[in-house]
Amino acid sequence: MIERQTMPKNMFTFNGYLNENPEVQKGDILLAEPFLADPNFERSVVLMCESQENGAFGLVFNRPAKVRIEDNDNIFLEENPLYVGGPVEQNTLHFIHTFDFLENSIELKDGVYWSGNYEQLKALHAQGKIHDGNCRFFVGYSGWGNEQLKNEIDQNSWVIARTNLQKLFTIEPEKLWKDILKSMGQKYEVLSNYPKDPRLN
């Protein structure tokens, strides 16, 4: 369940929806509202990989992991940055990439893909072609049950961003949430400037 903090009365607040079109689609980006208290999603940027009536699935793009995966068979998991995709099933590995030739990969949009043939991916690493600018690895994922995500969006817990997904690979993780919000126009730029601790305002 998403926990929320109350915005201070002297701060700018929004009336109604933050989202003009609240229908979440594959390839959309979810930006957590500034005072979302759930530590798993504080100022998170979630790339949506699936969004259907029976549930939704995404990966947090701006939360580097504090550990490495030690896997003698897949040494590239030790050599490349690892991110926490979400709080669900953190014993699973996922990857987002820009390789249009990778078999069994699922295109999200803008030449960005989810999953694919793992053996091909290891072969690319052996050729020195895997790096943080074209492939990101995640442990765990973010999941929502039927109607759960819709309810959270109705409560203004998330801003839906529809921007070019290539940005996810070019902006530093600690700047990603703010930069995407600022690119969405004045209303969202104001939102991006809220301090993490409203008491400091």
Side-chain angles (χ1 to χ4, degrees):
M1 178 180 293
I2 291 289
E3 299 177 11
R4 297 174 59 90
Q5 295 176 342
T6 302
M7 292 186 183
K9 292 183 179 179
N10 64 333
M11 294 190 68
F12 180 84
T13 58
F14 291 106
N15 294 318
Y17 286 116
L18 288 173
N19 302 289
E20 295 179 2
N21 179 5
E23 183 85 16
V24 178
Q25 303 172 359
K26 180 178 68 174
D28 284 349
I29 296 171
L30 299 185
L31 304 167
E33 60 95 345
F35 302 120
L36 199 63
D38 185 334
N40 293 306
F41 294 108
E42 181 182 359
R43 304 210 170 193
S44 62
V45 177
V46 183
L47 173 60
M48 298 306 297
C49 301
E50 286 186 353
S51 182
Q52 302 176 359
E53 289 185 2
N54 60 349
F57 166 94
L59 297 166
V60 178
F61 232 83
N62 62 332
R63 183 155 297 160
K66 297 180 180 179
V67 298
R68 295 283 187 180
I69 291 181
E70 296 183 3
D71 188 335
N72 293 330
D73 186 46
N74 299 316
I75 189 69
F76 71 94
L77 295 180
E78 299 178 46
E79 298 175 354
N80 289 276
L82 187 66
Y83 296 81
V84 179
V88 184
E89 294 188 10
Q90 292 194 338
N91 61 337
T92 59
L93 180 72
H94 309 270
F95 54 98
I96 300 291
H97 59 90
T98 61
F99 303 118
D100 59 0
F101 53 85
L102 206 63
E103 295 175 1
N104 303 321
S105 59
I106 299 169
E107 184 171 14
L108 301 178
K109 69 174 188 177
D110 305 322
V112 173
Y113 300 81
W114 163 45
S115 192
N117 187 299
Y118 200 58
E119 295 304 314
Q120 281 185 288
L121 198 68
K122 290 194 291 184
L124 287 172
H125 169 261
Q127 299 167 28
K129 295 181 178 179
I130 297 289
H131 54 77
D132 211 36
N134 59 24
C135 188
R136 299 284 177 95
F137 297 93
F138 305 84
V139 288
Y141 65 89
S142 304
W144 292 265
N146 184 33
E147 295 293 313
Q148 183 183 0
L149 182 56
K150 179 181 182 302
N151 292 336
E152 292 178 10
I153 290 173
D154 287 346
Q155 295 168 10
N156 283 339
S157 294
W158 300 99
V159 174
I160 302 172
R162 296 184 172 99
T163 187
N164 193 303
L165 297 186
Q166 294 288 337
K167 288 183 179 180
L168 297 175
F169 293 93
T170 61
I171 302 173
E172 296 176 13
E174 63 270 19
K175 298 179 179 179
L176 193 58
W177 180 85
K178 186 169 186 175
D179 282 9
I180 293 178
L181 276 174
K182 288 174 67 176
S183 73
M184 293 173 64
Q186 184 176 10
K187 178 173 74 171
Y188 300 100
E189 184 173 359
V190 172
L191 196 67
S192 75
N193 289 322
Y194 284 172
K196 286 189 175 182
D197 187 344
R199 295 170 296 183
L200 300 178
N201 187 53

